[in-house]
Structures are given as structure tokens and as C-alpha cells.
Amino acid sequence: MSRSGTEQHQQASEADATETTFRASEHQHIRYNPLQDEWVLVSAHRMKRPWQGQVEPPIMETVPRHDPHNPLCPGAMRANGEVNPHYDGTFLFDNDFPALQPDAPNPGRSDHPLFQAEAARGICKVMCFHPWSDVTLPLMSVSEIRAVVDAWASVTEELGAQYPWVQIFENKGAMMGCSNPHPHCQVWASSFLPDVAQREERSQRAFQCQHGEPLLMEYGRQELLRKERLVLTSEHWLVLVPYWAVWPFQTLLLPRRHVRRLPELTAAERDDLASIMKKLLTKYDNLFETSFPYSMGWHGAPTGSEVKADWDHWQLHAHYYPPLLRSATVRKFMVGYEMLAQAQRDLTPEQAAERLRTLPEVHYCLGQKDRKTTSIA
């Protein structure tokens, strides 16, 4: 087609588009993520296509409560020869195979701008949530989850005294690369701000400078007004599917009050956090009646020697990134267009929020006779 022909075709398509009423659930569009300064393509009509791709194997539901050969269990020996204590709550220890070490040498100055390297030092730890291997966070009591919250705050304060970034993250399920079903997370403290943290730093600082308030405080207020993406609300917390969500059932956990870091949470906020986490993760499991896989992590203001700097533009928050799309065995793949162009999702955030919002808060494993069930059409 000639250049003039291409322009005429484009103009005709634009004219047709203006005459059609836009529906987010039917028409593709792109949405901006102001937190990380990136865009996502929303193509909800793709959920109508039949799936003929890879189907994941069923998730193993039976896990022994205690396995003496599991290195995360109480009393078990780990790879470095150390024996775990017979802990009955949370247990924090140094990762036996750390990605970051505190004494790594400096790579030295680069001889060319295209070949740059800088020092990377840090500490990696593992935190077990519970002594039993056959439980997950939604099956733990609120008081047990509260102990996890306290441990998160404590390790953030401890490592944050030395390092500018403390990344707490949990990979749940083999689908997310977790090789051990024992309930646990990891904590990596680094001498540098990782890429995602740098993007969130720039975006939040720019928004504060332009509008005079933290980006995520204003965003939380807007979502409370609009309601269509809210999943759970409580006295101190909000759970919502972000307007710019990438993963199918991605959620964002936000405190209502302006809080920069986990250690700043009050006792009431920690209690409420434990409660709303249990409800959210129960809904996740109830969605496809399986132990729902995800990667999650906390983001808060940088720490270390930077702690006295002006970080009021930061708002503490947690990201949940679950891969499942259509069922317990069909996941969303981030390949092709996602790797080479930009992120793309297959249902709207509003559709995802509605599905999660209407799910029961009683775990399906408890066998409630009156619980609701859902399925993806």
C-alpha cells in the first residue's frame, strides 16, 4: 500500500473509532502506570480465545507437616551444616546461597561507557513464617501472621541501619520458582537501589513536587471514591487491583495513613494488616480452589545512611503478582510482545477486582457448605 493509501486507511480507522462507544472490557487500550513510568496494553477481548497452549501440572496439595530432610524445618540440617533450632514461630537466618555478600570487591573503573560495572554488596536472609510445612499464610491464624509482620518490620529496621534498600519478597508456589513448599520469604539488603526502586523513587518524588502530596496517598483516595477496583477495605488498609495492573489478578496493598516504612506501622495497623492479608490470600486461594501462586514484595522509603533525608514522597506498599489467568493450570506468559515491546494483559483490572471482591473470605479447604464458587468463562 502506498504512503497516501496508508494515511487514508488510518484516517478512516480513526473516524470509525470515534463513532464507536468505548468499552474497556471490549476494546484494547493502553494505560499509564505513574508509579513506574510505563504503559500496559489492555486487550480484554483476548479472554474469548480458546486456550491450546501449555497447561501446568496440578499443584501438589499434600505436603508433610515435618520432614527432617527439609532444610527449612525445625531441627533440620541445612546445606552449610548448621542445624535449625526447634522454632515455634518465625525463624530468620542467613541464606546459605546468597546473591549478595557484604565483602565483595569493587570491580574498579570502567574503560568505556558501554562497559560499566559498580560494586554490589549486601546480605541475604531467609525467614520462615511457621514451623509446619503444610500451612501457608492464609491458613495461619491472624496472630501468627501478625508475628510475621513484626518480623518484617524488625528485619527492615535491622538491615536498614546499614543498607539503603531492604527488599522483602515471597515467591509462593513452584510456578513462581519456589523450590521449597515450607512457608517462608526472603530478605535481600543491598548497597544500591534496584531498578524498580529507582523508578518508584523518581515517580513519587516528581509527583510530590508537582502536586504537593504523595502519589500513592492521592491514588488511594481516588480508588476509594471510584470503588470499581477495590477488593478489600479495613480501618487502616486498602487492597485493590491497580488501574495499571499487568498480571491478571495483581493487587496493591496500601495503608490509609501516610507511612514510609514497615517499622513505622502502629500496633493497630499491624493487627489490621495481618487480618486483611489473611482475607486477601484466602480470596486468592478460593479463586481457583488451589494454593494460589504469586510473587509479592514490600516497597518502602530507602533506609541506611539516607534515613534522615527527605523521603516524605514515599508511601509504603506491597505488590502481589500472581501468574494464573484462566484456571489453576493456565497461566499468563510474559513473552514475545511483553518482552520486546511492553506489558499486555488479557482482562481488565476492573473485571479482576470484581472477581476477587465477590469471593468468600472463608478458605475453601475448610469445606464451608455455603461458600460461593467461581470460574473463568
Short mmCIF file of all heavy atoms in Angstrom, two decimals, residues 58-93:
data_model
loop_
_atom_site.label_atom_id
_atom_site.label_comp_id
_atom_site.label_asym_id
_atom_site.label_seq_id
_atom_site.Cartn_x
_atom_site.Cartn_y
_atom_site.Cartn_z
N PRO A 58 -1.11 -30.16 37.93
CA PRO A 58 -1.83 -29.80 39.16
C PRO A 58 -0.86 -29.54 40.31
O PRO A 58 0.17 -30.21 40.44
CB PRO A 58 -2.69 -31.05 39.43
CG PRO A 58 -2.82 -31.72 38.09
CD PRO A 58 -1.53 -31.45 37.38
N ILE A 59 -1.19 -28.56 41.13
CA ILE A 59 -0.33 -28.21 42.26
C ILE A 59 -0.44 -29.27 43.34
O ILE A 59 -1.54 -29.72 43.70
CB ILE A 59 -0.73 -26.84 42.82
CG1 ILE A 59 -0.52 -25.77 41.75
CG2 ILE A 59 0.05 -26.50 44.08
CD1 ILE A 59 -1.02 -24.40 42.15
N MET A 60 0.71 -29.73 43.85
CA MET A 60 0.72 -30.73 44.91
C MET A 60 0.09 -30.15 46.17
O MET A 60 0.54 -29.12 46.69
CB MET A 60 2.15 -31.18 45.20
CG MET A 60 2.24 -32.28 46.26
SD MET A 60 3.94 -32.81 46.59
CE MET A 60 4.59 -31.36 47.41
N GLU A 61 -0.97 -30.76 46.63
CA GLU A 61 -1.68 -30.25 47.79
C GLU A 61 -1.23 -30.89 49.10
O GLU A 61 -1.42 -30.33 50.17
CB GLU A 61 -3.20 -30.47 47.61
CG GLU A 61 -3.79 -29.72 46.42
CD GLU A 61 -3.92 -28.23 46.66
OE1 GLU A 61 -3.62 -27.80 47.78
OE2 GLU A 61 -4.31 -27.51 45.73
N THR A 62 -0.67 -32.10 49.03
CA THR A 62 -0.28 -32.81 50.25
C THR A 62 1.20 -32.60 50.51
O THR A 62 2.06 -33.05 49.76
CB THR A 62 -0.58 -34.31 50.13
OG1 THR A 62 0.07 -34.84 48.95
CG2 THR A 62 -2.08 -34.53 49.99
N VAL A 63 1.50 -31.88 51.57
CA VAL A 63 2.87 -31.62 51.99
C VAL A 63 3.03 -32.13 53.41
O VAL A 63 2.18 -31.86 54.26
CB VAL A 63 3.18 -30.10 51.93
CG1 VAL A 63 4.57 -29.81 52.47
CG2 VAL A 63 3.03 -29.58 50.51
N PRO A 64 4.07 -32.90 53.69
CA PRO A 64 4.24 -33.39 55.07
C PRO A 64 4.46 -32.23 56.03
O PRO A 64 5.15 -31.26 55.71
CB PRO A 64 5.49 -34.28 54.97
CG PRO A 64 6.19 -33.84 53.73
CD PRO A 64 5.12 -33.38 52.79
N ARG A 65 3.86 -32.34 57.22
CA ARG A 65 3.97 -31.26 58.20
C ARG A 65 5.41 -31.05 58.63
O ARG A 65 5.85 -29.91 58.83
CB ARG A 65 3.09 -31.58 59.40
CG ARG A 65 3.18 -30.59 60.54
CD ARG A 65 1.95 -30.61 61.39
NE ARG A 65 0.79 -30.16 60.63
CZ ARG A 65 -0.44 -30.06 61.14
NH1 ARG A 65 -0.67 -30.40 62.40
NH2 ARG A 65 -1.44 -29.63 60.40
N HIS A 66 6.14 -32.12 58.78
CA HIS A 66 7.55 -32.01 59.15
C HIS A 66 8.36 -33.06 58.41
O HIS A 66 8.02 -34.24 58.44
CB HIS A 66 7.75 -32.18 60.67
CG HIS A 66 9.17 -32.02 61.10
ND1 HIS A 66 10.06 -33.08 61.13
CD2 HIS A 66 9.87 -30.93 61.50
CE1 HIS A 66 11.25 -32.65 61.54
NE2 HIS A 66 11.15 -31.35 61.78
N ASP A 67 9.39 -32.62 57.73
CA ASP A 67 10.29 -33.51 57.02
C ASP A 67 11.71 -33.23 57.52
O ASP A 67 12.24 -32.14 57.28
CB ASP A 67 10.19 -33.27 55.51
CG ASP A 67 11.13 -34.17 54.70
OD1 ASP A 67 11.91 -34.93 55.31
OD2 ASP A 67 11.08 -34.09 53.46
N PRO A 68 12.34 -34.17 58.21
CA PRO A 68 13.68 -33.92 58.77
C PRO A 68 14.72 -33.62 57.71
O PRO A 68 15.79 -33.09 58.02
CB PRO A 68 13.99 -35.21 59.52
CG PRO A 68 13.11 -36.26 58.91
CD PRO A 68 11.87 -35.53 58.51
N HIS A 69 14.41 -33.93 56.44
CA HIS A 69 15.35 -33.67 55.35
C HIS A 69 15.07 -32.33 54.67
O HIS A 69 15.81 -31.92 53.77
CB HIS A 69 15.30 -34.79 54.32
CG HIS A 69 15.65 -36.14 54.89
ND1 HIS A 69 16.90 -36.45 55.37
CD2 HIS A 69 14.89 -37.25 55.06
CE1 HIS A 69 16.92 -37.70 55.81
NE2 HIS A 69 15.71 -38.20 55.63
N ASN A 70 14.00 -31.65 55.08
CA ASN A 70 13.69 -30.32 54.53
C ASN A 70 14.52 -29.30 55.30
O ASN A 70 14.34 -29.14 56.51
CB ASN A 70 12.21 -30.02 54.67
CG ASN A 70 11.81 -28.70 54.01
OD1 ASN A 70 12.59 -27.77 53.93
ND2 ASN A 70 10.57 -28.63 53.55
N PRO A 71 15.43 -28.58 54.64
CA PRO A 71 16.35 -27.68 55.35
C PRO A 71 15.68 -26.49 56.03
O PRO A 71 16.34 -25.79 56.80
CB PRO A 71 17.30 -27.21 54.25
CG PRO A 71 16.52 -27.37 52.98
CD PRO A 71 15.67 -28.58 53.19
N LEU A 72 14.37 -26.27 55.79
CA LEU A 72 13.69 -25.16 56.44
C LEU A 72 12.92 -25.60 57.68
O LEU A 72 12.43 -24.75 58.43
CB LEU A 72 12.73 -24.47 55.46
CG LEU A 72 13.36 -23.84 54.22
CD1 LEU A 72 12.31 -23.05 53.43
CD2 LEU A 72 14.52 -22.92 54.59
N CYS A 73 12.82 -26.89 57.91
CA CYS A 73 12.06 -27.39 59.06
C CYS A 73 12.83 -27.23 60.37
O CYS A 73 14.06 -27.24 60.39
CB CYS A 73 11.71 -28.86 58.85
SG CYS A 73 10.33 -29.14 57.71
N PRO A 74 12.12 -27.10 61.48
CA PRO A 74 12.78 -27.05 62.78
C PRO A 74 13.63 -28.31 63.02
O PRO A 74 13.19 -29.43 62.72
CB PRO A 74 11.62 -26.98 63.77
CG PRO A 74 10.48 -26.42 62.98
CD PRO A 74 10.66 -26.95 61.59
N GLY A 75 14.84 -28.12 63.50
CA GLY A 75 15.71 -29.24 63.82
C GLY A 75 16.41 -29.86 62.63
O GLY A 75 17.23 -30.77 62.81
N ALA A 76 16.15 -29.38 61.41
CA ALA A 76 16.77 -29.95 60.21
C ALA A 76 18.15 -29.34 59.99
O ALA A 76 18.44 -28.21 60.41
CB ALA A 76 15.89 -29.73 59.00
N MET A 77 19.00 -30.10 59.30
CA MET A 77 20.33 -29.59 58.95
C MET A 77 20.28 -28.92 57.58
O MET A 77 19.72 -29.47 56.64
CB MET A 77 21.36 -30.72 58.94
CG MET A 77 22.78 -30.25 58.59
SD MET A 77 23.98 -31.61 58.55
CE MET A 77 24.04 -32.04 60.29
N ARG A 78 20.88 -27.75 57.49
CA ARG A 78 20.91 -27.02 56.23
C ARG A 78 22.18 -27.36 55.46
O ARG A 78 23.06 -28.09 55.93
CB ARG A 78 20.81 -25.51 56.48
CG ARG A 78 19.57 -25.10 57.26
CD ARG A 78 19.22 -23.63 57.01
NE ARG A 78 20.36 -22.74 57.19
CZ ARG A 78 20.74 -22.24 58.36
NH1 ARG A 78 20.06 -22.56 59.46
NH2 ARG A 78 21.78 -21.42 58.42
N ALA A 79 22.30 -26.80 54.25
CA ALA A 79 23.40 -27.15 53.34
C ALA A 79 24.76 -26.82 53.91
O ALA A 79 25.76 -27.48 53.59
CB ALA A 79 23.20 -26.44 52.00
N ASN A 80 24.82 -25.79 54.78
CA ASN A 80 26.11 -25.40 55.33
C ASN A 80 26.48 -26.17 56.60
O ASN A 80 27.48 -25.87 57.25
CB ASN A 80 26.12 -23.89 55.63
CG ASN A 80 25.08 -23.50 56.67
OD1 ASN A 80 24.33 -24.34 57.17
ND2 ASN A 80 25.04 -22.22 57.00
N GLY A 81 25.66 -27.15 56.96
CA GLY A 81 25.94 -27.98 58.13
C GLY A 81 25.31 -27.47 59.41
O GLY A 81 25.34 -28.18 60.44
N GLU A 82 24.74 -26.28 59.40
CA GLU A 82 24.09 -25.75 60.60
C GLU A 82 22.74 -26.45 60.81
O GLU A 82 22.05 -26.81 59.86
CB GLU A 82 23.88 -24.24 60.49
CG GLU A 82 25.18 -23.45 60.51
CD GLU A 82 24.93 -21.96 60.58
OE1 GLU A 82 23.78 -21.55 60.90
OE2 GLU A 82 25.87 -21.19 60.30
N VAL A 83 22.37 -26.60 62.06
CA VAL A 83 21.11 -27.25 62.42
C VAL A 83 20.13 -26.17 62.91
O VAL A 83 20.47 -25.36 63.79
CB VAL A 83 21.31 -28.32 63.51
CG1 VAL A 83 19.98 -28.93 63.93
CG2 VAL A 83 22.25 -29.41 63.01
N ASN A 84 18.96 -26.16 62.34
CA ASN A 84 17.95 -25.18 62.75
C ASN A 84 17.50 -25.42 64.18
O ASN A 84 17.41 -26.57 64.62
CB ASN A 84 16.71 -25.26 61.84
CG ASN A 84 17.01 -24.92 60.40
OD1 ASN A 84 17.94 -24.17 60.11
ND2 ASN A 84 16.22 -25.47 59.49
N PRO A 85 17.19 -24.36 64.90
CA PRO A 85 16.60 -24.55 66.23
C PRO A 85 15.19 -25.12 66.09
O PRO A 85 14.60 -25.08 65.01
CB PRO A 85 16.58 -23.13 66.80
CG PRO A 85 16.51 -22.24 65.60
CD PRO A 85 17.32 -22.93 64.54
N HIS A 86 14.65 -25.60 67.18
CA HIS A 86 13.28 -26.12 67.16
C HIS A 86 12.32 -24.94 67.37
O HIS A 86 11.64 -24.84 68.40
CB HIS A 86 13.10 -27.20 68.22
CG HIS A 86 13.84 -28.46 67.90
ND1 HIS A 86 13.34 -29.45 67.07
CD2 HIS A 86 15.08 -28.89 68.27
CE1 HIS A 86 14.21 -30.43 66.94
NE2 HIS A 86 15.29 -30.12 67.67
N TYR A 87 12.28 -24.08 66.35
CA TYR A 87 11.49 -22.85 66.47
C TYR A 87 10.00 -23.16 66.41
O TYR A 87 9.56 -24.15 65.80
CB TYR A 87 11.89 -21.85 65.37
CG TYR A 87 11.62 -22.31 63.94
CD1 TYR A 87 10.43 -22.00 63.31
CD2 TYR A 87 12.58 -23.03 63.23
CE1 TYR A 87 10.19 -22.39 62.00
CE2 TYR A 87 12.35 -23.44 61.92
CZ TYR A 87 11.15 -23.12 61.31
OH TYR A 87 10.91 -23.51 60.02
N ASP A 88 9.21 -22.31 67.07
CA ASP A 88 7.76 -22.50 67.09
C ASP A 88 7.01 -21.27 66.56
O ASP A 88 5.79 -21.19 66.67
CB ASP A 88 7.26 -22.85 68.49
CG ASP A 88 7.63 -21.78 69.52
OD1 ASP A 88 8.18 -20.73 69.12
OD2 ASP A 88 7.36 -21.99 70.71
N GLY A 89 7.75 -20.32 65.98
CA GLY A 89 7.12 -19.14 65.39
C GLY A 89 7.84 -18.79 64.10
O GLY A 89 8.00 -19.64 63.22
N THR A 90 8.30 -17.55 63.98
CA THR A 90 9.11 -17.18 62.83
C THR A 90 10.57 -17.53 63.11
O THR A 90 11.00 -17.63 64.25
CB THR A 90 9.00 -15.67 62.53
OG1 THR A 90 9.46 -14.94 63.67
CG2 THR A 90 7.56 -15.29 62.21
N PHE A 91 11.34 -17.72 62.04
CA PHE A 91 12.76 -18.06 62.16
C PHE A 91 13.52 -17.39 61.03
O PHE A 91 13.23 -17.61 59.86
CB PHE A 91 12.94 -19.58 62.10
CG PHE A 91 14.37 -20.03 62.00
CD1 PHE A 91 15.35 -19.52 62.84
CD2 PHE A 91 14.74 -21.00 61.06
CE1 PHE A 91 16.67 -19.94 62.75
CE2 PHE A 91 16.06 -21.43 60.97
CZ PHE A 91 17.02 -20.89 61.81
N LEU A 92 14.48 -16.53 61.38
CA LEU A 92 15.26 -15.77 60.43
C LEU A 92 16.71 -16.23 60.45
O LEU A 92 17.30 -16.35 61.52
CB LEU A 92 15.18 -14.27 60.77
CG LEU A 92 15.93 -13.30 59.86
CD1 LEU A 92 15.23 -13.18 58.51
CD2 LEU A 92 16.03 -11.93 60.52
N PHE A 93 17.28 -16.49 59.28
CA PHE A 93 18.68 -16.93 59.22
C PHE A 93 19.31 -16.47 57.91
O PHE A 93 18.62 -16.13 56.95
CB PHE A 93 18.78 -18.46 59.36
CG PHE A 93 18.08 -19.24 58.28
CD1 PHE A 93 18.77 -19.67 57.14
CD2 PHE A 93 16.74 -19.57 58.40
CE1 PHE A 93 18.15 -20.40 56.15
CE2 PHE A 93 16.09 -20.30 57.41
CZ PHE A 93 16.80 -20.71 56.28
#
